[in-house]
Coordinates of all heavy atoms in Angstrom, one line a residue:
S180 N -3.2 -162.6 111.1 CA -3.7 -162.7 112.5 C -2.5 -162.3 113.4 O -2.6 -161.9 114.6 CB -4.2 -164.0 112.9 OG -5.4 -164.3 112.1
K181 N -1.3 -162.6 112.9 CA -0.1 -162.3 113.7 C 0.6 -161.0 113.4 O 1.7 -160.7 113.9 CB 1.0 -163.5 113.5 CG 0.4 -164.9 113.8 CD 0.4 -165.1 115.4 CE 1.7 -165.3 116.1 NZ 1.6 -165.6 117.4
G182 N 0.0 -160.1 112.7 CA 0.5 -158.8 112.4 C 1.7 -158.8 111.3 O 2.5 -157.8 111.3
C183 N 1.7 -159.9 110.5 CA 2.7 -159.8 109.6 C 2.5 -159.1 108.2 O 1.1 -159.1 107.8 CB 3.2 -161.3 109.1 SG 3.8 -162.2 110.4
S184 N 3.3 -158.5 107.4 CA 3.1 -157.7 106.2 C 3.6 -158.5 105.1 O 3.3 -158.1 103.9 CB 3.6 -156.4 106.3 OG 5.0 -156.3 106.7
E185 N 4.5 -159.7 105.4 CA 5.1 -160.4 104.2 C 5.2 -161.8 104.6 O 5.3 -162.2 105.7 CB 6.5 -159.9 103.9 CG 6.6 -158.4 103.4 CD 7.9 -158.0 103.0 OE1 8.8 -158.5 103.6 OE2 8.0 -156.9 102.2
I186 N 5.0 -162.7 103.5 CA 5.2 -164.0 103.6 C 6.3 -164.5 102.6 O 6.3 -164.1 101.5 CB 3.9 -164.8 103.1 CG1 2.7 -164.5 104.1 CG2 4.1 -166.5 103.3 CD1 1.4 -165.0 103.5
Y187 N 7.3 -165.1 103.2 CA 8.4 -165.6 102.5 C 8.1 -167.0 101.9 O 7.8 -167.8 102.8 CB 9.7 -165.5 103.2 CG 10.4 -164.3 103.2 CD1 9.9 -163.1 103.8 CD2 11.6 -164.0 102.6 CE1 10.5 -162.0 103.8 CE2 12.3 -162.9 102.6 CZ 11.7 -161.8 103.2 OH 12.4 -160.5 103.3
Y188 N 8.4 -167.2 100.6 CA 8.0 -168.4 100.0 C 9.3 -168.9 99.1 O 9.6 -168.2 98.3 CB 6.8 -168.3 99.2 CG 6.4 -169.3 98.1 CD1 6.4 -170.7 98.3 CD2 6.1 -168.9 96.9 CE1 6.1 -171.5 97.4 CE2 5.7 -169.6 95.9 CZ 5.8 -171.0 96.2 OH 5.4 -171.8 95.1
G189 N 10.0 -170.2 99.4 CA 11.3 -170.4 98.8 C 11.2 -171.2 97.4 O 12.1 -171.9 97.1
A190 N 10.2 -170.9 96.5 CA 10.1 -171.5 95.2 C 11.3 -171.1 94.4 O 11.8 -170.0 94.6 CB 8.9 -171.1 94.5
H191 N 11.9 -172.0 93.6 CA 13.0 -171.7 92.8 C 12.8 -172.2 91.3 O 11.9 -173.0 91.2 CB 14.4 -172.1 93.4 CG 14.4 -173.6 93.5 ND1 14.8 -174.4 92.5 CD2 14.2 -174.4 94.6 CE1 14.8 -175.6 92.9 NE2 14.5 -175.6 94.1
A192 N 13.7 -171.7 90.5 CA 13.4 -171.9 89.1 C 13.6 -173.4 88.7 O 12.8 -174.0 87.7 CB 14.4 -171.2 88.1
D193 N 14.5 -174.2 89.3 CA 14.6 -175.6 88.9 C 13.4 -176.4 89.1 O 13.0 -177.4 88.4 CB 15.8 -176.2 89.7 CG 17.2 -175.8 89.3 OD1 17.2 -175.1 88.2 OD2 18.1 -175.9 89.9
D194 N 12.5 -176.1 90.2 CA 11.5 -176.8 90.5 C 10.3 -176.6 89.6 O 9.5 -177.5 89.4 CB 10.8 -176.5 92.0 CG 11.5 -177.3 93.0 OD1 12.3 -178.3 92.6 OD2 11.4 -177.1 94.3
S195 N 10.3 -175.4 89.0 CA 9.1 -175.1 88.0 C 9.6 -175.4 86.6 O 8.6 -175.6 85.7 CB 8.8 -173.6 88.0 OG 9.8 -172.8 87.7
A196 N 10.7 -175.8 86.4 CA 11.2 -176.2 85.0 C 10.6 -177.4 84.4 O 10.3 -178.2 85.1 CB 12.7 -176.4 85.0
G197 N 10.0 -177.2 83.2 CA 9.4 -178.4 82.6 C 8.1 -178.7 83.2 O 7.5 -179.7 83.0
N198 N 7.4 -177.8 84.0 CA 6.2 -178.0 84.7 C 6.1 -179.0 85.8 O 5.2 -179.7 86.1 CB 5.1 -178.2 83.6 CG 3.7 -178.0 84.1 OD1 3.5 -176.8 84.8 ND2 2.7 -178.7 83.8
A199 N 7.4 -179.4 86.2 CA 7.6 -180.5 87.3 C 6.6 -180.1 88.5 O 6.0 -180.8 88.9 CB 9.0 -180.6 87.7
Y200 N 6.8 -178.8 88.9 CA 6.0 -178.4 90.1 C 5.5 -176.9 89.5 O 6.0 -176.0 89.9 CB 7.0 -178.1 91.3 CG 7.4 -179.5 91.9 CD1 8.6 -180.0 91.6 CD2 6.5 -180.3 92.7 CE1 9.2 -181.1 92.0 CE2 7.1 -181.5 93.3 CZ 8.4 -181.9 92.9 OH 8.8 -183.1 93.3
P201 N 4.3 -176.9 89.1 CA 3.7 -175.6 88.5 C 3.4 -174.6 89.6 O 3.5 -173.4 89.3 CB 2.4 -176.2 87.7 CG 2.1 -177.4 88.3 CD 3.4 -178.0 88.7
D202 N 3.2 -175.1 90.8 CA 3.0 -174.1 91.8 C 4.2 -173.6 92.5 O 4.4 -173.0 93.7 CB 2.0 -174.7 93.1 CG 2.7 -176.0 93.5 OD1 3.7 -176.5 93.1 OD2 2.0 -176.5 94.6
C203 N 5.4 -173.6 91.6 CA 6.6 -173.0 92.0 C 7.1 -172.0 90.9 O 8.1 -171.4 91.0 CB 7.7 -174.1 92.1 SG 7.6 -175.0 93.6
S204 N 6.1 -171.8 90.0 CA 6.4 -171.0 88.8 C 6.3 -169.5 89.1 O 5.6 -169.1 90.1 CB 5.6 -171.3 87.6 OG 4.3 -170.9 87.9
P205 N 7.0 -168.6 88.3 CA 7.0 -167.2 88.5 C 5.5 -166.7 88.3 O 5.0 -165.9 89.0 CB 7.9 -166.5 87.4 CG 8.9 -167.7 87.3 CD 8.1 -168.9 87.4
A206 N 4.8 -167.3 87.2 CA 3.4 -167.0 87.1 C 2.5 -167.2 88.3 O 1.6 -166.5 88.5 CB 2.8 -167.7 85.8
F207 N 2.8 -168.5 88.8 CA 1.9 -168.8 90.0 C 2.2 -167.9 91.2 O 1.2 -167.4 91.9 CB 2.3 -170.2 90.5 CG 1.6 -170.6 91.7 CD1 0.3 -171.0 91.7 CD2 2.3 -170.7 92.8 CE1 -0.3 -171.5 93.0 CE2 1.8 -170.9 94.1 CZ 0.4 -171.5 94.1
A208 N 3.5 -167.7 91.4 CA 3.8 -166.8 92.5 C 3.2 -165.3 92.4 O 2.8 -164.6 93.3 CB 5.4 -166.5 92.6
E209 N 3.3 -164.8 91.0 CA 2.7 -163.6 90.7 C 1.2 -163.6 91.0 O 0.6 -162.6 91.5 CB 3.0 -163.2 89.5 CG 2.6 -161.7 89.0 CD 2.9 -161.3 87.6 OE1 3.8 -162.1 87.0 OE2 2.4 -160.4 87.0
A210 N 0.6 -164.6 90.6 CA -1.0 -164.7 90.7 C -1.3 -164.8 92.2 O -2.3 -164.2 92.6 CB -1.4 -165.8 90.0
M211 N -0.5 -165.6 93.0 CA -0.9 -165.7 94.4 C -0.7 -164.4 95.2 O -1.3 -164.1 96.0 CB -0.1 -166.9 95.0 CG -0.5 -168.3 94.6 SD -2.3 -168.7 95.1 CE -2.1 -168.5 97.0
N212 N 0.5 -163.8 94.8 CA 0.7 -162.5 95.3 C -0.4 -161.5 95.3 O -0.7 -160.8 96.1 CB 2.1 -161.9 94.9 CG 2.4 -160.5 95.5 OD1 2.4 -160.3 96.7 ND2 2.7 -159.6 94.7
E213 N -0.8 -161.4 94.1 CA -2.0 -160.4 93.7 C -3.2 -160.9 94.5 O -4.0 -160.0 95.1 CB -2.4 -160.5 92.2 CG -3.3 -159.5 91.7 CD -3.0 -158.0 92.1 OE1 -1.9 -157.7 92.2 OE2 -4.0 -157.2 92.0
A214 N -3.5 -162.3 94.6 CA -4.7 -162.6 95.3 C -4.6 -162.3 96.8 O -5.4 -161.9 97.5 CB -4.8 -164.2 95.2
V215 N -3.4 -162.6 97.3 CA -3.1 -162.3 98.8 C -3.2 -160.8 99.0 O -3.8 -160.4 100.1 CB -1.7 -163.0 99.2 CG1 -1.4 -162.3 100.6 CG2 -1.8 -164.5 99.2
Y216 N -2.7 -160.0 98.2 CA -2.7 -158.6 98.5 C -4.0 -158.0 98.3 O -4.3 -157.2 99.2 CB -1.6 -157.9 97.3 CG -1.5 -156.4 97.5 CD1 -0.9 -155.9 98.6 CD2 -1.8 -155.6 96.5 CE1 -0.7 -154.7 98.7 CE2 -1.7 -154.2 96.5 CZ -1.1 -153.7 97.8 OH -0.9 -152.4 98.0
Q217 N -4.8 -158.3 97.3 CA -6.1 -157.9 97.2 C -7.1 -158.4 98.3 O -7.8 -157.8 99.0 CB -6.8 -158.4 95.9 CG -6.0 -157.7 94.6 CD -6.4 -156.2 94.4 OE1 -7.4 -155.8 95.1 NE2 -5.6 -155.5 93.8
G218 N -6.9 -159.8 98.7 CA -7.7 -160.5 99.6 C -7.4 -159.9 101.0 O -8.3 -160.3 101.9
S219 N -6.2 -159.3 101.3 CA -5.9 -158.9 102.6 C -6.2 -157.5 102.8 O -5.8 -156.9 103.9 CB -4.5 -159.2 102.9 OG -3.6 -158.4 101.9

């Protein structure tokens, strides 16, 4: 709605380690990127 082409999201490796925060993992980021890219 605001005319942006990118969303910056600050997940890092320590948060996803050991499945502590699974929505910070590379796999999650990759899947969400694909969903956002396709859905937009």
Side-chain angles (χ1 to χ4, degrees):
S180 300
K181 298 290 283 185
C183 298
S184 56
E185 294 183 336
I186 299 171
Y187 274 67
Y188 158 56
H191 63 83
D193 288 346
D194 273 351
S195 64
N198 207 37
Y200 294 97
D202 55 356
C203 290
S204 69
F207 173 83
E209 183 178 346
M211 286 300 297
N212 179 51
E213 181 64 18
V215 166
Y216 186 61
Q217 293 289 338
S219 66

